Amino acid sequence: MTNSQIAAALSEIGTLLELQGETGFRANAYHSAARSVDNLGDEVEARVRAGQLGSIPGIGSTLREKIETLVLTGSIPQLEELRASTPVGLLQMLRVPGLGPKKVRALADSGIDDLAKLKQACDEGRVAKIKGFGAKTQENITNGLAFLDKAGGRIRIDTADQLAGPIVALLRKVPGVTRAEACGSLRRRKETVGDLDFLVAAAEPGPAMDAFAALPGVADVIARGDTLTSVLLPVGHGPRATTIRADLRVVSAEQFPYALHHLTGSKEHNKAMRGRAQDRGMKMNEYGLTGTTCASEAEIFAALDLEFIPPELREDAGEIAAAESKSLPKLIELSDLRGAFHNHTTASDGAATLLQMAEAAQELGFQYLGIADHSQSLQVARGLSPERVRAQREEIDALNAEFEDFRLFHGIECDILPDGSLDYDDDILASFDYVVASVHTHFNQSREEVTARVIRAIRHPSVTMLGHATGRLILQREGYPVDLDAVLKAAAEAGTMIEINAQPKRLELDWVHARRAKELGIPIVINPDAHATDEIALVSYGIDVARRAWLTKDDVFNTKTRRQVEAVLRV
Ligand code: DGT
Ligand code: CA
Ligand code: CA
Ligand code: ZN
């Protein structure tokens, strides 16, 4: 049991006491004990097991006994009782961004003791009238409720990037800070992020903590300790604005590599790593690994006879075994991409012309760009009639005659019609350099219908690749019901490629299915689905998914050179 787990249990007791109306001294004693344990350099568990917990600053004999019980039995009876006796409604209210135990208690005292009542009270303006609340707090709670409802409190990776980038840059400029990184799910490049975890190396934690608590727009400082500060950051603007929690941990330069590994997670990966250390008679935690002074994560892995495991793979999904046998894949990198195939222009619903898109692709160092505007039935997106298809072909041929060492490929994003047929005659389909087939309509079909529909399209000889495979919108919409395993099998049989749609609001195939696709030998294409010049660079989010899926350069079609692509497409 790590110090932070012990600290979490103590602080949970403090919070539950506050929720139950206990004020002042008693609840605070648990919170400050939690901070002491958290700040302790050596392991409390080891001390307890050695029978000498010793003195911990700010912890009296009652709390010492509880810590011993927790370490030796895995639980504290008082905590179990508090959990059992606290109404579930109050615990759920605690999850609302901006609501701490004291506020939840005050709401409960006004008869508001679950999320439904809270929502209703906000709608009726009653929360604003409670002592200590006010209109602004009520508005924050309303926003928090909406977000909780919609997203379970998570944000998309691109939103998290936009928040975290400037914070890391700012932390690196704080005097005395030698290292600063964003860790957690963001560093593992998960598609959504539950909260932000920052880590800093500095001899003195104070300046970094001060800078963090003073970040622009900080809605609330949830906790402020010697090594950990937690704040709520604003996300977005207007009625959909919400907040996300961000933690900053400050450690010494010596601790930094260990803390970086710990805070990057995942929890499951950490657990497996700790187990491996234990098997070798070593102890691993966020501050160190017995008998080592590692200067980097790579040295920590090496100390456990492992290859370096990239953060994206740290999900306890076979990466440790592969690192042991030195058989981790060499993961694809952004610089491996030479082009992309699913992009729109002003001919359909894009914002840039063919030439503008071509120039933007060249600026990214691409050797080619595939244009796949919408097909004729998608009239809301100005889908191309057969005549306009032919006109676009002439335009592309004319541009290609001018380019040196660059080529536009003429494709189409062809709608898969409700019965699985395609949106043009076979002659026209065969005239394209390639075809991306996508479902855009009739999401209300049954799972069987959609699956059969997609599989029929995959088997069409002119279809090169399947476009956004599920129709999901991350944190917004589930997508159409489809048997992805059956789709993947059909694609493998037909030799049809599948795209990773790199739009951060889509990211489909997801990493689990992209990995399965690789196992089935299906070529993957990383497509930005760009509707403007600056969206071509979104391929980086597709690279994130591909890396989490263990893909190498060879697994991805658009790492091929222009000549190689021409040979495959026979153009
Ligand atoms: P998130 O925030 O839900 O998107 O996911 P993470 O992975 O960022 O999780 P978070 O923020 O709860 O914790 C950050 C890292 O800290 C996590 O990836 C691993 C480490 N960590 C947190 N809690 C535990 C724990 O109970 N045990 C272990 N071994 N590691 C933990
Ligand atoms: Ca996190
Ligand atoms: Ca966290
Ligand atoms: Zn598209």
Side-chain angles (χ1 to χ4, degrees), residues 41-65:
D42 54 350
E43 273 197 78
V44 172
E45 171 169 1
R47 289 202 204 179
V48 170
R49 297 210 182 273
Q52 43 186 338
L53 181 50
S55 78
I56 301 174
I59 296 187
S61 58
T62 317
L63 270 163
R64 288 166 44 99
E65 275 172 36

Side-chain angles (χ1 to χ4, degrees), residues 224-244:
R224 175 71 206 257
D226 290 342
T227 64
L228 178 68
T229 293
S230 296
V231 300
L232 284 182
L233 296 174
V235 183
H237 306 280
R240 300 179 74 188
T242 128
T243 56
I244 187 150

